[in-house]
Amino acid sequence: MALSPVCGEQLDEQRKESVFLRDVLEGLGKQQKTLPCKYLYDEIGSRLFERICELDDYYLTRTEAAIFSDNMVDMARQIGPGAAIVEPGAGNCEKVQPLLEQLDSPRGYYPIDISPEILLAARARIIAQLPDLEVQASVGDFTRPEVWRELDDLAAGKTVLFFPGSTIGNFDPCQAGELLQFFATRLRSGDAILIGTDLVKDSVVLERAYCDSEHVTAAFNKNILARINGELDADFDLSLFAHRAFYHPLRQRVEMHLVSLKEHCVRIAGRQVRFAEGETIHTENSHKYSVTGFNRLLDEAGFAPIRHWSDLQQRYAIHYAQVA
Ligand code: AVI
């Protein structure tokens, strides 16, 4: 019997769907139910996250932006002339632009992102605004070595990894250390990293940032269930789950959960998953660091911490560290 032809794109979609299903069933089969936080970011989730970044309660984005703008000259001086900037997980490449404008004769800008559409649009924008700069975009998952192979032939000279947004906080400290180590092995001695981290602080401020008064974070969190319904033939009733976010002082992290409001069953791709009343799905961790704690992590990963910039309230820090 002849099989109907399936085009490559379709196969790719099917493979992604089965990985998603496997991850969801594996996470919801655990004693403490979990879902990988990367699945929070479908198109709707990414738009909700952009709204979170503009909230008064979510101080991270504007605090980081203020630190950059107050210290950009100093940062550019610290990096020095002729540097190549590589940005893993660059997205729309908006944060890097003021740095590229301030740097003395940058050698090039090399963004990496999983989403080709966003990356290519951002590349076109940067080329229009900085026509003399070489911009080479790489599409792929920045945690995979093959994506970095294209960057192996960067002309000699200093390379600086730009990793803002406290993205490192969404990895647990052990994985964060491994990721930093992975970055360090992609670089040469004298290359550097410029990386943003949210600092340990009062739990009231932290909890407000992740449980905002406009309920945008709640919508962002619950959207993962809507995504599972839409993509994996599931029947989550979103009204039976509540958003919860709290600071865990010992683990130094904000945990985000979805709490089942009553005992019930959910069907996912033909399987039944039971929820007890009060049981939670752990959807995200956002780790907070002291400057000393993060310096230790950098050091253990092969980066020598050189300096950091912070805001007056010491809410957020941007670290500069060099490959030892
Ligand atoms: C992307 N990341 C740094 C955000 C954070 O603060 O951990 C994700 C986020 N989750 C809820 N609000 C924001």
Side-chain angles (χ1 to χ4, degrees):
M1 187 178 66
L3 290 171
S4 59
V6 182
C7 73
E9 219 169 274
Q10 233 175 320
L11 270 176
D12 227 33
E13 281 308 308
Q14 283 168 3
R15 204 176 51 82
K16 268 193 226 153
E17 189 184 299
S18 67
V19 172
F20 184 25
L21 179 61
R22 185 203 61 201
D23 289 351
V24 166
L25 293 176
E26 194 180 298
L28 296 182
K30 290 182 183 161
Q31 175 87 353
Q32 165 61 69
K33 292 181 168 64
T34 60
L35 287 171
C37 66
K38 65 179 174 187
Y39 293 120
L40 290 163
Y41 300 90
D42 64 347
E43 210 184 312
I44 296 174
S46 301
R47 260 190 270 128
L48 286 165
F49 179 61
E50 279 173 22
R51 280 184 56 203
I52 289 175
C53 293
E54 289 163 6
L55 293 170
D56 281 349
D57 291 333
Y58 192 74
Y59 59 85
L60 285 82
T61 313
R62 66 170 182 283
T63 308
E64 184 186 65
I67 300 171
F68 272 125
S69 94
D70 291 350
N71 300 284
M72 199 49 95
V73 174
D74 201 17
M75 289 178 182
R77 204 179 302 127
Q78 179 72 56
I79 291 172
I85 304 295
V86 176
E87 184 175 7
N92 60 18
C93 309
E94 261 169 15
K95 290 185 180 172
V96 78
Q97 189 144 344
L99 178 66
L100 294 173
E101 285 166 11
Q102 191 64 51
L103 283 172
D104 179 0
S105 330
R107 220 162 68 250
Y109 171 55
Y110 306 90
I112 305 171
D113 203 272
I114 198 112
S115 161
E117 297 83 17
I118 296 176
L119 191 58
L120 297 177
R123 178 178 175 270
R125 200 198 64 240
I126 294 198
I127 289 175
Q129 278 159 5
L130 297 164
D132 295 333
L133 185 71
E134 171 174 301
V135 183
Q136 188 188 307
S138 304
V139 176
D141 175 349
F142 67 76
T143 63
R144 312 284 319 157
E146 58 271 19
V147 182
W148 293 76
R149 236 161 260 146
E150 293 172 36
L151 301 174
D152 280 351
D153 326 314
L154 284 189
K158 184 171 182 171
T159 297
V160 176
L161 282 195
F162 183 70
F163 202 54
S166 189
T167 308
I168 195 76
N170 294 129
F171 295 82
D172 73 42
C174 189
Q175 293 170 328
E178 283 167 13
L179 182 63
L180 290 172
Q181 209 169 12
F182 173 79
F183 286 161
T185 54
R186 249 79 252 147
L187 299 170
R188 291 177 282 227
S189 172
D191 289 346
I193 187 167
L194 193 59
I195 180 168
T197 60
D198 196 20
L199 294 174
V200 170
K201 63 183 66 62
D202 181 57
S203 62
V204 175
V205 178
L206 283 168
E207 287 176 2
R208 212 186 302 128
Y210 292 84
C211 213
D212 65 275
S213 54
E214 294 171 53
H215 310 291
V216 184
T217 314
F220 171 69
N221 197 7
K222 281 187 173 194
N223 177 60
I224 200 167
L225 304 183
R227 179 176 183 181
I228 295 171
N229 281 350
E231 293 181 32
L232 298 178
D233 184 28
D235 64 356
F236 275 104
D237 177 346
L238 272 59
S239 71
L240 294 184
F241 288 88
H243 165 70
R244 181 188 291 163
F246 60 89
Y247 183 58
H248 193 308
L250 277 182
R251 296 192 173 140
Q252 292 191 182
R253 70 189 191 195
V254 174
E255 293 191 8
M256 215 163 69
H257 291 251
L258 288 162
V259 189
S260 168
L261 297 175
K262 67 171 201 185
E263 186 180 340
H264 70 292
C265 275
V266 175
R267 188 186 44 79
I268 306 170
R271 281 121 166 139
Q272 296 280 332
V273 180
R274 275 178 67 80
F275 288 89
E277 184 179 334
E279 186 176 9
T280 75
I281 310 173
H282 188 173
T283 49
E284 189 186 60
N285 288 319
S286 194
H287 291 266
K288 310 302 166 188
Y289 289 94
S290 64
V291 169
T292 323
F294 197 69
N295 280 346
R296 199 178 316 122
L297 203 65
L298 283 166
D299 186 51
E300 284 164 6
F303 285 101
I306 304 291
R307 60 187 296 194
H308 75 278
W309 295 266
S310 189
D311 54 303
L312 275 178
Q313 290 171 288
Q314 304 283 300
R315 286 187 163 183
Y316 196 92
I318 298 169
H319 300 256
Y320 182 82
Q322 241 166 12
V323 178

PDB file of all heavy atoms in Angstrom, residues 70-85:
ATOM      1  N   ASP A  70      22.223  53.993  32.465  1.00  0.00           N
ATOM      2  CA  ASP A  70      23.073  54.812  33.352  1.00  0.00           C
ATOM      3  C   ASP A  70      24.558  54.469  33.208  1.00  0.00           C
ATOM      4  O   ASP A  70      25.411  55.272  33.581  1.00  0.00           O
ATOM      5  CB  ASP A  70      22.691  54.591  34.831  1.00  0.00           C
ATOM      6  CG  ASP A  70      21.326  55.174  35.149  1.00  0.00           C
ATOM      7  OD1 ASP A  70      20.788  55.899  34.291  1.00  0.00           O
ATOM      8  OD2 ASP A  70      20.794  54.880  36.236  1.00  0.00           O
ATOM      9  N   ASN A  71      24.863  53.266  32.725  1.00  0.00           N
ATOM     10  CA  ASN A  71      26.264  52.814  32.751  1.00  0.00           C
ATOM     11  C   ASN A  71      26.807  52.395  31.389  1.00  0.00           C
ATOM     12  O   ASN A  71      27.868  51.780  31.312  1.00  0.00           O
ATOM     13  CB  ASN A  71      26.395  51.627  33.722  1.00  0.00           C
ATOM     14  CG  ASN A  71      26.000  52.002  35.137  1.00  0.00           C
ATOM     15  OD1 ASN A  71      26.750  52.662  35.845  1.00  0.00           O
ATOM     16  ND2 ASN A  71      24.802  51.604  35.523  1.00  0.00           N
ATOM     17  N   MET A  72      26.068  52.735  30.336  1.00  0.00           N
ATOM     18  CA  MET A  72      26.432  52.239  29.010  1.00  0.00           C
ATOM     19  C   MET A  72      27.839  52.662  28.574  1.00  0.00           C
ATOM     20  O   MET A  72      28.589  51.870  28.009  1.00  0.00           O
ATOM     21  CB  MET A  72      25.387  52.722  27.996  1.00  0.00           C
ATOM     22  CG  MET A  72      25.374  51.957  26.733  1.00  0.00           C
ATOM     23  SD  MET A  72      25.340  50.166  26.997  1.00  0.00           S
ATOM     24  CE  MET A  72      23.611  49.795  26.897  1.00  0.00           C
ATOM     25  N   VAL A  73      28.192  53.915  28.882  1.00  0.00           N
ATOM     26  CA  VAL A  73      29.511  54.409  28.469  1.00  0.00           C
ATOM     27  C   VAL A  73      30.599  53.587  29.174  1.00  0.00           C
ATOM     28  O   VAL A  73      31.565  53.131  28.558  1.00  0.00           O
ATOM     29  CB  VAL A  73      29.643  55.915  28.813  1.00  0.00           C
ATOM     30  CG1 VAL A  73      31.054  56.416  28.534  1.00  0.00           C
ATOM     31  CG2 VAL A  73      28.603  56.721  28.029  1.00  0.00           C
ATOM     32  N   ASP A  74      30.381  53.393  30.470  1.00  0.00           N
ATOM     33  CA  ASP A  74      31.320  52.627  31.279  1.00  0.00           C
ATOM     34  C   ASP A  74      31.430  51.178  30.783  1.00  0.00           C
ATOM     35  O   ASP A  74      32.523  50.609  30.681  1.00  0.00           O
ATOM     36  CB  ASP A  74      30.779  52.653  32.719  1.00  0.00           C
ATOM     37  CG  ASP A  74      31.854  52.367  33.731  1.00  0.00           C
ATOM     38  OD1 ASP A  74      33.032  52.473  33.377  1.00  0.00           O
ATOM     39  OD2 ASP A  74      31.494  52.005  34.870  1.00  0.00           O
ATOM     40  N   MET A  75      30.280  50.594  30.458  1.00  0.00           N
ATOM     41  CA  MET A  75      30.273  49.191  29.976  1.00  0.00           C
ATOM     42  C   MET A  75      31.025  49.092  28.653  1.00  0.00           C
ATOM     43  O   MET A  75      31.820  48.169  28.459  1.00  0.00           O
ATOM     44  CB  MET A  75      28.827  48.697  29.795  1.00  0.00           C
ATOM     45  CG  MET A  75      28.089  48.484  31.095  1.00  0.00           C
ATOM     46  SD  MET A  75      26.391  47.949  30.768  1.00  0.00           S
ATOM     47  CE  MET A  75      25.757  47.842  32.436  1.00  0.00           C
ATOM     48  N   ALA A  76      30.778  50.046  27.758  1.00  0.00           N
ATOM     49  CA  ALA A  76      31.445  50.019  26.441  1.00  0.00           C
ATOM     50  C   ALA A  76      32.952  50.179  26.629  1.00  0.00           C
ATOM     51  O   ALA A  76      33.747  49.529  25.949  1.00  0.00           O
ATOM     52  CB  ALA A  76      30.881  51.113  25.551  1.00  0.00           C
ATOM     53  N   ARG A  77      33.338  51.035  27.578  1.00  0.00           N
ATOM     54  CA  ARG A  77      34.773  51.235  27.851  1.00  0.00           C
ATOM     55  C   ARG A  77      35.382  49.940  28.399  1.00  0.00           C
ATOM     56  O   ARG A  77      36.474  49.541  28.043  1.00  0.00           O
ATOM     57  CB  ARG A  77      34.942  52.391  28.844  1.00  0.00           C
ATOM     58  CG  ARG A  77      36.334  53.018  28.726  1.00  0.00           C
ATOM     59  CD  ARG A  77      36.537  54.187  29.675  1.00  0.00           C
ATOM     60  NE  ARG A  77      35.590  55.276  29.530  1.00  0.00           N
ATOM     61  CZ  ARG A  77      34.852  55.800  30.518  1.00  0.00           C
ATOM     62  NH1 ARG A  77      34.930  55.298  31.738  1.00  0.00           N
ATOM     63  NH2 ARG A  77      34.043  56.805  30.308  1.00  0.00           N
ATOM     64  N   GLN A  78      34.634  49.295  29.291  1.00  0.00           N
ATOM     65  CA  GLN A  78      35.124  48.033  29.880  1.00  0.00           C
ATOM     66  C   GLN A  78      35.318  46.961  28.790  1.00  0.00           C
ATOM     67  O   GLN A  78      36.291  46.211  28.804  1.00  0.00           O
ATOM     68  CB  GLN A  78      34.107  47.542  30.924  1.00  0.00           C
ATOM     69  CG  GLN A  78      34.465  46.243  31.594  1.00  0.00           C
ATOM     70  CD  GLN A  78      35.624  46.388  32.577  1.00  0.00           C
ATOM     71  OE1 GLN A  78      35.550  47.203  33.492  1.00  0.00           O
ATOM     72  NE2 GLN A  78      36.682  45.624  32.369  1.00  0.00           N
ATOM     73  N   ILE A  79      34.398  46.920  27.839  1.00  0.00           N
ATOM     74  CA  ILE A  79      34.492  45.905  26.766  1.00  0.00           C
ATOM     75  C   ILE A  79      35.655  46.237  25.825  1.00  0.00           C
ATOM     76  O   ILE A  79      36.392  45.352  25.399  1.00  0.00           O
ATOM     77  CB  ILE A  79      33.143  45.811  25.994  1.00  0.00           C
ATOM     78  CG1 ILE A  79      32.074  45.203  26.908  1.00  0.00           C
ATOM     79  CG2 ILE A  79      33.293  45.001  24.707  1.00  0.00           C
ATOM     80  CD1 ILE A  79      30.664  45.215  26.356  1.00  0.00           C
ATOM     81  N   GLY A  80      35.815  47.509  25.513  1.00  0.00           N
ATOM     82  CA  GLY A  80      36.941  47.918  24.667  1.00  0.00           C
ATOM     83  C   GLY A  80      36.621  47.891  23.177  1.00  0.00           C
ATOM     84  O   GLY A  80      35.538  47.447  22.778  1.00  0.00           O
ATOM     85  N   PRO A  81      37.584  48.316  22.352  1.00  0.00           N
ATOM     86  CA  PRO A  81      37.332  48.427  20.910  1.00  0.00           C
ATOM     87  C   PRO A  81      37.369  47.088  20.183  1.00  0.00           C
ATOM     88  O   PRO A  81      37.998  46.135  20.658  1.00  0.00           O
ATOM     89  CB  PRO A  81      38.488  49.328  20.423  1.00  0.00           C
ATOM     90  CG  PRO A  81      39.571  49.123  21.432  1.00  0.00           C
ATOM     91  CD  PRO A  81      38.919  48.790  22.737  1.00  0.00           C
ATOM     92  N   GLY A  82      36.657  47.029  19.060  1.00  0.00           N
ATOM     93  CA  GLY A  82      36.760  45.889  18.142  1.00  0.00           C
ATOM     94  C   GLY A  82      36.126  44.597  18.621  1.00  0.00           C
ATOM     95  O   GLY A  82      36.481  43.528  18.126  1.00  0.00           O
ATOM     96  N   ALA A  83      35.204  44.670  19.569  1.00  0.00           N
ATOM     97  CA  ALA A  83      34.625  43.418  20.115  1.00  0.00           C
ATOM     98  C   ALA A  83      33.518  42.880  19.208  1.00  0.00           C
ATOM     99  O   ALA A  83      32.804  43.637  18.551  1.00  0.00           O
ATOM    100  CB  ALA A  83      34.072  43.668  21.509  1.00  0.00           C
ATOM    101  N   ALA A  84      33.386  41.547  19.201  1.00  0.00           N
ATOM    102  CA  ALA A  84      32.222  40.904  18.566  1.00  0.00           C
ATOM    103  C   ALA A  84      31.239  40.587  19.689  1.00  0.00           C
ATOM    104  O   ALA A  84      31.643  40.107  20.749  1.00  0.00           O
ATOM    105  CB  ALA A  84      32.658  39.618  17.872  1.00  0.00           C
ATOM    106  N   ILE A  85      29.966  40.901  19.462  1.00  0.00           N
ATOM    107  CA  ILE A  85      28.953  40.615  20.493  1.00  0.00           C
ATOM    108  C   ILE A  85      28.102  39.433  20.033  1.00  0.00           C
ATOM    109  O   ILE A  85      27.518  39.468  18.940  1.00  0.00           O
ATOM    110  CB  ILE A  85      28.032  41.849  20.716  1.00  0.00           C
ATOM    111  CG1 ILE A  85      28.846  43.099  21.081  1.00  0.00           C
ATOM    112  CG2 ILE A  85      26.964  41.558  21.775  1.00  0.00           C
ATOM    113  CD1 ILE A  85      29.582  43.022  22.398  1.00  0.00           C
TER     114      ILE A  85
END
